[in-house]
Amino acid sequence: WEQTLRLLQAAEELDFNILVMPDMNAIFKREPERFVEFIKEANQWNAAQRLQDGRLVIAPYLAENQSPTWWRDVKSQLRDQGVDIALWPVFHNLSKQLSRFEAELGPEFNDLFYGVSDWGSRTPEGANYIKDEAKLAKTKNLKMMSPVSPQDVRPKSSVFTEAQNSETYRALWKSSIENDIQWVHLISWNDYSESTEIAPS
């Protein structure tokens, strides 16, 4: 957390923005009650990514680890405390989770998200999913953030995905551009544990 605050401070000094992306598979899975205070503190920094209307963009990874009603209540709590957020969750299996959230929340679903994203696939063939997910997001009147990553190799888990030189990276970028995706998530923050690094290594 202290490193996060130092990053926000550095971003403010150097004039760039940071998208706040809480990991819902880490501390907020074990201690979800800390989430609101975390977001309130992040909101104090001008360098935290916002929409043009001033809303703080929150893109929680593995958002499905908390229930749809939990997200509805957290968004309401933050609004009551003067923090207006644009919730842009990153799911594993976007279509499944959107169906789940919509079924549980009913009409309230329409006001919950600003956009959606998927953790995505790390193969050239996986680029086809971006087209389907972009269409799905559009039917729900949601923005889309597509995943773009050069590869995924995890010796620690005995997982290997063939990147086919740079074809995976190129295919994911191409699909994002062709499907008029609003934002792109360059997934490299898990770089040296899952070999998604963009730089040569």
Side-chain angles (χ1 to χ4, degrees):
W1 176 233
E2 290 179 2
Q3 288 177 336
T4 301
L5 295 180
R6 286 199 294 271
L7 282 169
L8 285 164
Q9 181 179 355
E12 207 150 292
E13 292 170 357
L14 298 171
D15 194 25
F16 68 93
N17 294 334
I18 291 178
L19 176 61
V20 177
M21 194 172 202
D23 188 344
M24 303 309 293
N25 203 40
I27 191 168
F28 298 120
K29 184 177 182 181
R30 298 188 306 271
E31 302 176 60
E33 67 279 1
R34 297 181 64 184
F35 187 84
V36 169
E37 288 305 313
F38 172 91
I39 299 305
K40 282 174 61 181
E41 191 159 0
N43 186 58
Q44 296 175 20
W45 295 89
N46 293 326
Q49 183 70 47
R50 299 173 193 278
L51 300 179
Q52 288 185 338
D53 62 13
R55 280 182 290 169
L56 179 70
V57 182
I58 304 297
Y61 166 71
L62 214 63
E64 60 265 38
N65 274 355
Q66 294 298 336
S67 72
T69 53
W70 187 88
W71 284 111
R72 178 201 63 196
D73 294 346
V74 157
K75 188 174 179 182
S76 178
Q77 288 174 46
L78 285 164
R79 188 184 297 117
D80 291 345
Q81 297 183 48
V83 181
D84 202 5
I85 65 169
L87 191 56
W88 202 322
V90 178
F91 292 119
H92 285 219
N93 194 330
L94 175 61
S95 60
K96 176 184 175 183
Q97 295 306 328
L98 281 183
S99 295
R100 172 186 164 222
F101 272 68
E102 200 165 19
E104 185 166 330
L105 293 176
E108 292 180 299
F109 171 82
N110 298 323
D111 298 321
L112 185 60
F113 300 141
Y114 176 79
V116 288
S117 185
D118 193 284
W119 182 242
S121 174
R122 308 286 184 271
T123 64
E125 297 76 20
N128 296 325
Y129 292 113
I130 292 175
K131 180 178 181 180
D132 296 336
E133 291 175 344
K135 283 183 179 178
L136 176 62
K138 194 170 185 180
T139 65
K140 308 292 184 188
N141 199 28
L142 296 168
K143 304 291 186 187
M144 181 68 191
M145 177 166 60
S146 65
V148 173
S149 186
Q151 62 182 358
D152 194 329
V153 179
R154 310 182 190 196
K156 64 186 175 68
S157 307
S158 299
V159 171
F160 174 80
T161 302
E162 175 55 63
Q164 299 180 38
N165 294 316
S166 64
E167 187 177 348
T168 295
Y169 200 37
R170 287 182 285 118
L172 291 168
W173 264 118
K174 185 178 182 206
S175 187
S176 299
I177 293 166
E178 288 177 346
N179 290 290
D180 198 27
I181 300 298
Q182 290 82 23
W183 285 20
V184 169
H185 179 194
L186 293 174
I187 299 176
S188 67
W189 52 261
N190 55 335
D191 48 16
Y192 294 111
S193 65
E194 298 175 358
S195 300
T196 60
E197 70 274 2
I198 294 167
S201 64

